[in-house]
Amino acid sequence: METLACNFHSFTFNLSDSQTLSFLKFPPHQVRYSITPATTLSLRMTHSHSSQNPVIEQQRVIIPNKHGEKLVGLLHETGSKEIVILCHGFRSTKADRTMVNLAVALEKEGISAFRFDFAGNGESEGSFEFGNYSKEADDLHSVIQHFCEANRIVCAILGHSKGGDVVLLYASKYHDIHTVVNVSGRYDLKKGIEERFGKDFMDRIQDGFVDIKNKKGVEYRVTKESLMERLSLDMHEACLKIPRECRVLTVHGSADEIIPVGDALEFAKIIPNHKLHIVE
């Protein structure tokens, strides 16, 4: 048996039934995972202000997307009929600390959560692609359909970084979810590319692809097609298609060095039913 331990700081998050989203303060806690060869993961939470050690089961769930690829996720089952779907960011997975921290915070409030890997990421099948925003929105649709068919109520979808753009694109295309949380999403998808790949990136990719390398070798490949998919996405236009009855919360750090806080302010200008929370 392998045991992984990690500490998380307090996190501010709440899903409210009111017309706007309010916030609750969750105390610091420690999360320990006991990983066994079985198909479920056992999670034990040790709270700093309690001697109780409740055990909450994490169920491994496999959901096919519309391309026949298997999406792998973990269901934090609390017994609630309502469930929140959590979407990771670029080059990340369901095991990202933000995803785990959010799932545990929701568990504490008695709300079930599901965190999964998009196709081509983590344990899910498929090939990794640099852009893929629209396909990931479709992956999310497959996940939501799965839980709706299981008689669950998907009360909210939450995405971090690239996942923030994905949940907003979902809300603009599918009008079946009425609470969306965008954590540090990027407003202008034409920005951030030069900073990541260099000023001559567009010239280099004319050959069809560019391999992004690190000290160990090729980290991932960016194809011209996937880059063009990202550059062609207009988040302004997409957000204008989000229906007014859909509540959107944007959470962003004031000193974010990867995606500037100004992007959050742009979302706040155009999304009709929107609440903005800047974390200093």
Side-chain angles (χ1 to χ4, degrees), residues 133 161-162 164-165 168 182-193 195-196 230 235 252 257-260 263-264 267:
Y133 290 81
S161 192
K162 181 186 179 185
D165 290 290
L168 292 172
N182 158 38
V183 182
S184 305
R186 186 181 291 278
Y187 172 76
D188 187 350
L189 293 177
K190 293 181 176 63
K191 294 183 177 179
I193 296 176
E195 292 84 349
R196 186 184 294 272
R230 168 169 167 160
M235 291 305 298
H252 211 109
E257 296 179 352
I258 297 176
I259 301 176
D263 287 40
F267 284 126

Side-chain angles (χ1 to χ4, degrees), residues 53-152:
N53 295 323
V55 175
I56 300 175
E57 292 298 321
Q58 292 182 14
Q59 302 174 12
R60 180 183 171 91
V61 180
I62 299 176
I63 301 169
N65 65 12
K66 71 177 188 179
H67 303 284
E69 298 162 330
K70 294 178 180 178
L71 307 176
V72 181
L74 291 175
L75 173 62
H76 295 241
E77 182 60 82
T78 67
S80 68
K81 189 171 184 178
E82 292 188 334
I83 186 170
V84 176
I85 310 298
L86 306 176
C87 302
H88 65 76
F90 176 70
R91 295 289 295 168
S92 186
T93 71
K94 63 183 180 301
D96 177 75
R97 193 174 85 165
T98 302
M99 297 293 98
V100 177
N101 196 15
L102 283 164
V104 173
L106 288 162
E107 282 179 354
K108 183 173 173 61
E109 294 303 302
I111 302 172
S112 297
F114 183 69
R115 50 189 174 96
F116 74 101
D117 296 323
F118 286 112
N121 293 268
E123 295 184 281
S124 292
E125 293 180 346
S127 301
F128 171 82
E129 294 185 35
F130 170 70
N132 233 22
Y133 290 81
S134 296
K135 186 183 177 187
E136 290 188 358
D138 290 338
D139 282 353
L140 177 57
H141 186 239
S142 297
V143 170
I144 290 171
Q145 281 186 314
H146 170 85
F147 285 105
C148 289
E149 290 170 1
N151 201 31
R152 304 294 289 265

Side-chain angles (χ1 to χ4, degrees), residues 3-44:
T3 301
L4 308 177
C6 47
N7 290 305
F8 298 107
H9 299 292
S10 58
F11 191 85
T12 302
F13 186 76
N14 181 43
L15 294 173
S16 171
D17 290 331
S18 64
Q19 288 300 307
T20 58
L21 295 176
S22 59
F23 297 90
L24 290 177
K25 188 81 169 182
F26 295 94
H29 52 269
Q30 186 181 71
V31 182
R32 294 189 182 274
Y33 298 87
S34 297
I35 302 179
T36 66
T39 57
T40 62
L41 299 181
S42 175
L43 179 150
R44 182 178 297 275

